[in-house]
């Protein structure tokens, strides 16, 4: 299962907000695209608020202010164990020429009531 592709452009304001929390950056870190989740609607639902267990992000070229990326989220795995459901999902970003620019894999857990 995957989301629709959404174009996200990195703005100066996005970087300013990021730097207000994490300090001045010489270059945008590989985890920066995680901010793009707020622009993407995933087509699956969680039974409760997910807890972020871990993530791994890889950028194949430098992220830049003013650059636009086509982004989608893939649900790679959903496994239920007892009262917990574990999700592995991947945020993938492509430059406007269609070349993959970054990939961020997140592992989440949701505890059912």
């Amino acid at each position: 299962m995957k989301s629709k592709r959404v174009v996200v452009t990195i703005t100066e304001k996005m970087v300013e907000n990021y730097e207000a929390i994490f300090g001045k950056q010489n270059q945008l870190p590989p985890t920066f695209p995680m901010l793009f989740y707020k622009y993407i609607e995933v087509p699956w639902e969680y039974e409760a608020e997910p807890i972020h267990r871990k993530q791994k992000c890889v950028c194949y070229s430098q992220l830049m202010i003013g650059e636009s990326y086509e982004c989608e989220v893939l649900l790679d795995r959903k496994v239920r164990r007892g009262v917990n459901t574990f999700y592995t999902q991947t945020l993938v970003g492509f430059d406007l020429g269609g070349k993959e620019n970054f990939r961020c894999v997140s592992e989440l857990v949701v505890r059912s009531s």
Side-chain angles (χ1 to χ4, degrees):
M1 189 179 309
K2 65 182 174 179
S3 70
K4 291 182 181 177
R5 283 195 179 185
V6 173
V7 176
V8 179
T9 301
I10 298 177
T11 65
E12 283 190 43
K13 186 67 173 168
M14 291 167 77
V15 175
E16 287 171 6
N17 291 341
Y18 185 88
E19 290 180 335
I21 297 168
F22 297 106
K24 182 73 175 149
Q25 306 291 308
N26 292 326
Q27 60 184 23
L28 296 176
T31 56
F32 189 84
M34 296 299 286
L35 297 174
F36 299 173
Y37 268 98
K38 68 181 179 180
Y39 304 104
I40 303 169
E41 189 174 322
V42 295
W44 53 91
E45 293 186 22
Y46 306 105
E47 297 168 18
E49 287 296 315
I51 297 169
H52 202 217
R53 294 181 63 218
K54 57 184 167 176
Q55 71 184 22
K56 179 181 179 183
C57 297
V58 177
C59 289
Y60 304 110
S61 63
Q62 183 59 44
L63 300 168
M64 305 289 288
I65 293 173
E67 291 293 318
S68 297
Y69 304 95
E70 279 191 288
C71 305
E72 65 186 6
V73 179
L74 308 147
L75 180 60
D76 302 314
R77 185 170 166 239
K78 178 181 176 184
V79 176
R80 186 169 181 96
R81 292 190 191 127
V83 296
N84 296 316
T85 304
F86 297 88
Y87 296 83
T88 302
Q89 57 190 43
T90 303
L91 169 63
V92 184
F94 304 89
D95 65 22
L96 298 183
K99 182 178 177 188
E100 187 174 320
N101 187 270
F102 59 82
R103 180 173 288 263
C104 298
V105 179
S106 299
E107 293 184 19
L108 310 169
V109 64
V110 173
R111 185 171 186 91
S112 303
S113 323

